[in-house]
Amino acid sequence: MALRPYWKGYLKLSLVTCPVQMMPATSESEKVRFHTLNRQTHNRVVSHYVDAVTGNEVGEDDEVKGYQRGENDYIILEDEELENVALNSTKTIDIDVFAPHASIDWIWLDTPYYLSPDDPVGQEAFSVIRDAMAAEHMVGISRLVISRRERAVMLEPRGKGIVLWTLRYGDEVRDEADYFGGIDDEPSDSELMPLIEQLIRKETRHWDSKLVADPVQDKLLEIIESKRKKTKRPAKTRSSEPKGTPNNVVNIMDALRKSVAAETRTGKR
């Protein structure tokens, strides 16, 4: 089954525009996930929002976003107000700045997406923008609204497509000097260096996705499979319907076969 695009819109550079679609470049769908159950009944546990003071359940229509400015003092923002923020970047990735790829440190990169043409007619414009950036070793910087927040994004040419990276906000990146400042500036021990370099060469290998396999996931799957084999499904209880009452779930193929058989016995065609 083809995956639905996460976002659709337009890629724009000056007067060149093309329709594009964006897909997450990573996935967590293969991870083992658990539901919270009632131990006694094995039924799913459902969570609800409740008023922190009254304890009353809060309906979806009564939920609203609030910005705290003091104790028990909030500024209320309606959904319409949040949706109207940065409307210009909701459907268009307008590249207005280029930067050398090497000048953007890894720590600013947040979440990757695959950007590709959404229409055969727009492939030529897409390819021109991609190839021009690759030839100049540049990446494009733009802005895009994702999940109601405007994010700075970086467009990196990659093979036949473009990888769009959301970039972290400036207040999210901590200064490394605050953490590395206490490390001595003295050069490394000249006698130890050759030994460490030898170890590095010995353990060097080509990159493989198996290097980042998750052993915890594998162990969880083993436990689940072991329990699945040992645990029998609960026996189905007999229906409490009176005899002669047809079951609500009807197998269409069985019903057709019985009808054909009945028609044959009576000589009808």
Side-chain angles (χ1 to χ4, degrees), residues 37-110:
L37 308 179
N38 181 332
R39 183 187 294 275
Q40 303 300 325
T41 64
H42 287 193
N43 295 330
R44 290 273 303 274
V45 173
V46 180
S47 59
H48 296 280
Y49 283 110
V50 297
D51 190 298
V53 177
T54 66
N56 297 330
E57 185 173 331
V58 180
E60 185 175 348
D61 292 339
D62 292 323
E63 296 173 14
V64 66
K65 296 290 189 296
Y67 175 81
Q68 187 172 9
R69 61 181 176 183
E71 186 175 358
N72 297 324
D73 184 14
Y74 296 89
I75 297 174
I76 303 300
L77 292 176
E78 300 294 342
D79 287 345
E80 294 78 11
E81 295 175 300
L82 297 172
E83 290 171 356
N84 288 333
V85 175
L87 285 178
N88 290 336
S89 55
T90 57
K91 286 298 179 183
T92 302
I93 304 171
D94 192 350
I95 307 176
D96 51 7
V97 175
F98 291 93
H101 186 279
S103 69
I104 301 178
D105 202 359
W106 63 269
I107 200 168
W108 293 97
L109 305 182
D110 189 4

Side-chain angles (χ1 to χ4, degrees), residues 150-217:
E150 188 176 66
R151 303 293 301 269
V153 297
M154 183 188 85
L155 287 82
E156 173 192 1
R158 181 76 62 89
K160 295 191 295 183
I162 293 175
V163 175
L164 181 147
W165 286 89
T166 58
L167 300 177
R168 301 185 190 278
Y169 296 100
D171 57 2
E172 292 179 336
V173 177
R174 296 175 176 175
D175 189 347
E176 64 184 41
D178 295 339
Y179 304 91
F180 300 157
I183 300 176
D184 293 336
D185 293 332
E186 297 179 5
S188 302
D189 191 311
S190 59
E191 295 183 1
L192 292 177
M193 278 288 288
L195 297 176
I196 299 300
E197 290 172 352
Q198 184 179 348
L199 285 174
I200 291 174
R201 288 192 294 270
K202 181 181 178 182
E203 298 299 335
T204 297
R205 66 188 75 173
H206 289 290
W207 164 257
D208 190 300
S209 60
K210 293 179 181 179
L211 295 175
V212 289
D214 187 350
V216 174
Q217 288 282 110

